[in-house]
Amino acid sequence: MRQVEGKVEILRKKNLGRTPVPIDGKRVLIVKLRYIGDTLSIIPVIDNIKRNAKGAEIDVMVNKGTEEVLIHQPGIARLWPYDRHAAKRSALGSITYHVQLLRQLRGRRYDVVMDFTHGDRASFLCYLTGSPFRISYLNSSRLAKTLMNHFISAEASEMHIVDYQLEALKPFGMNHFRRKIDLHIPAPVQEKVDRLLGGKGVSAGLKVAIHPGARGTLRQWPPERFAEIARRLQSENGADILLVGGPSESALVESVEQGLRSPALFKSTQLGLLEMACLFSRCRIFVGNDSAPAHLAAAAGCPTLTLFGPTFPKMWQPLSDRGEVIFKNVDCCGCRQEECIRPGRSCMQMIEVEEVWAKVLNMLS
């Protein structure tokens, strides 16, 4: 066991010696089988390897449906979308899918594999790549401790997820990191978004994006409160409102628009991920729940006001130097319940309209 930078240590089953392990010219696979915001969070890992490891070749595996945010990112040699539906279709279908996938992965002959998923499935895939150097975290699953062979000990609850993941690069001699999530949005996407806005995308005027949805109702602020914020922005600030959501959030978006003083300048639940990020880049501020669009807005350079419920912003808030959060740190925060144990007074319901309005005005001033 060797101490690295005071608070982080790498525990290993094989002795790596006292000097950093070089990965210049090595082939590296990064695995993160989670959600859209999680996929965005590995961009700094990719960028820092590319900046510090000369000639390193970086492949990335993420869940299918999240890969769009990485398609145009520089520094990625090959992108592997992991198809969860194909993997679970049937016993035979799962075996067939994984055999074909692993044959291709093993053909890449990875020197290093890094798993940022914290799940058994990802650990199993990493192990079967045949890579001799497989990195995970000490707080990963029991199976990961068997299948992986080098472990990083870091306190996830004490740092942002981006910093937590960058700690895995320290054994390779990297200690000074660039934390920014540089999301590349190609020109055709920007042109399409400006057409969708009817030429108003780059025009003057206050534009505010609002996303009322989230993954799970416990993370959603009441839609009528979003409508109240939007209505005030229209009445008192002359703002144009842009309402966005995912394909399953049409009713939620409609309910917010019904409470507006006038129709939204733009409304959609069918945007691609990069289109949504580009849309946010045309806005003065984003207001929404702790969900993927908030992370897309921050990555696109839009100031964000994110409302947090049962998740901790210290680790998960959108990475931005122009971001604000509102968070009620109730004693049951961190729960994974489907139904709140505080009916009528959930952590999201505790966030008042006046509190959000004050933050919005401060960010616009």
Side-chain angles (χ1 to χ4, degrees):
M1 185 179 297
R2 176 168 60 89
Q3 194 72 22
V4 180
E5 291 295 308
K7 64 179 179 180
V8 177
E9 58 185 2
I10 178 168
L11 289 85
R12 52 197 181 271
K13 297 177 181 178
K14 295 182 180 179
N15 188 355
L16 301 180
R18 296 183 178 276
T19 58
V21 179
I23 57 171
D24 292 20
K26 302 295 185 181
R27 183 170 287 167
V28 180
L29 174 65
I30 296 170
V31 180
K32 183 85 174 189
L33 304 182
R34 292 294 182 186
Y35 302 101
I36 296 165
D38 300 279
T39 297
L40 283 167
S41 76
I42 62 172
I43 289 177
V45 174
I46 299 165
D47 290 347
N48 280 279
I49 293 176
K50 203 65 183 175
R51 288 160 62 92
N52 293 287
K54 185 177 180 180
E57 188 175 347
I58 307 165
D59 288 5
V60 181
M61 178 183 289
V62 295
N63 276 333
K64 186 176 181 179
T66 72
E67 76 276 10
E68 183 187 341
V69 297
L70 298 180
I71 287 175
H72 300 284
Q73 289 300 122
I76 299 177
R78 183 159 183 176
L79 188 58
W80 300 90
Y82 180 77
D83 192 337
R84 292 171 294 173
H85 299 295
K88 298 177 181 179
R89 189 175 297 130
S90 66
L92 179 59
S94 178
I95 292 171
T96 301
Y97 173 74
H98 284 105
V99 167
Q100 293 174 346
L101 174 63
L102 287 165
R103 183 180 294 120
Q104 295 179 74
L105 289 173
R106 291 181 70 87
R108 294 289 285 165
R109 298 183 181 275
Y110 293 110
D111 300 293
V112 177
V113 173
M114 300 179 181
D115 175 33
F116 296 109
T117 309
H118 291 291
D120 290 347
R121 186 185 301 269
S123 298
F124 193 62
L125 289 169
C126 290
Y127 174 75
L128 292 178
T129 63
S131 172
F133 199 110
R134 303 181 300 278
I135 290 184
S136 186
Y137 285 78
L138 193 60
N139 57 359
S140 296
S141 68
R142 182 176 298 179
L143 182 62
K145 292 183 176 66
T146 301
L147 299 178
M148 309 299 277
N149 58 10
H150 298 87
F151 301 92
I152 301 296
S153 175
E155 292 296 329
S157 62
E158 297 301 319
M159 62 185 78
H160 193 276
I161 185 63
V162 166
D163 299 311
Y164 178 69
Q165 292 170 165
L166 288 173
E167 296 289 355
L169 302 185
K170 288 188 174 181
F172 304 112
M174 304 179 203
N175 291 290
H176 303 287
F177 302 115
R178 190 169 185 271
R179 300 175 71 241
K180 190 174 187 299
I181 296 177
D182 280 322
L183 181 63
H184 184 71
I185 303 175
V189 173
Q190 298 184 45
E191 293 165 2
K192 179 180 179 180
V193 168
D194 287 335
R195 288 196 301 271
L196 290 173
L197 290 175
K200 299 178 182 178
V202 293
S203 63
L206 174 60
K207 297 181 184 64
V208 178
I210 292 178
H211 173 240
R215 180 168 48 85
T217 56
L218 293 187
R219 298 165 70 168
Q220 293 179 7
W221 201 43
E224 63 273 14
R225 299 188 190 182
F226 276 114
E228 173 63 22
I229 295 297
R231 189 164 56 247
R232 292 188 189 186
L233 282 164
Q234 289 179 320
S235 300
E236 301 182 25
N237 300 81
D240 288 321
I241 303 300
L242 291 76
L243 295 174
V244 297
S248 64
E249 296 173 339
S250 296
L252 197 57
V253 169
E254 289 287 348
S255 70
V256 174
E257 187 178 39
Q258 289 173 8
L260 301 188
R261 179 171 174 266
S262 57
L265 172 71
F266 179 84
K267 175 182 65 176
S268 178
T269 57
Q270 301 298 323
L271 291 174
L273 299 179
L274 290 179
E275 292 169 355
M276 189 178 291
C278 183
L279 184 81
F280 296 149
S281 74
R282 304 294 194 252
C283 296
R284 177 79 175 276
I285 185 176
F286 166 93
V287 183
N289 300 309
D290 168 31
S291 192
H295 295 282
L296 288 168
C302 178
T304 57
L305 174 56
T306 311
L307 312 182
F308 274 78
T311 49
F312 293 100
K314 186 169 187 177
M315 186 175 188
W316 295 110
Q317 72 182 78
L319 189 63
S320 170
D321 56 5
R322 297 191 296 167
E324 298 282 350
V325 302
I326 297 179
F327 170 58
K328 302 298 182 182
N329 191 13
V330 296
D331 54 8
C332 54
C333 188
C335 77
R336 296 178 179 272
Q337 304 295 325
E338 293 185 4
E339 295 185 9
C340 184
I341 63 173
R342 303 162 58 98
R345 193 60 176 166
S346 71
C347 48
M348 292 302 278
Q349 291 171 327
M350 291 173 67
I351 299 175
E352 301 291 346
V353 168
E354 295 304 327
E355 188 176 6
V356 175
W357 180 240
K359 283 276 191 182
V360 168
L361 291 181
N362 183 62
M363 294 178 71
L364 292 176
S365 63

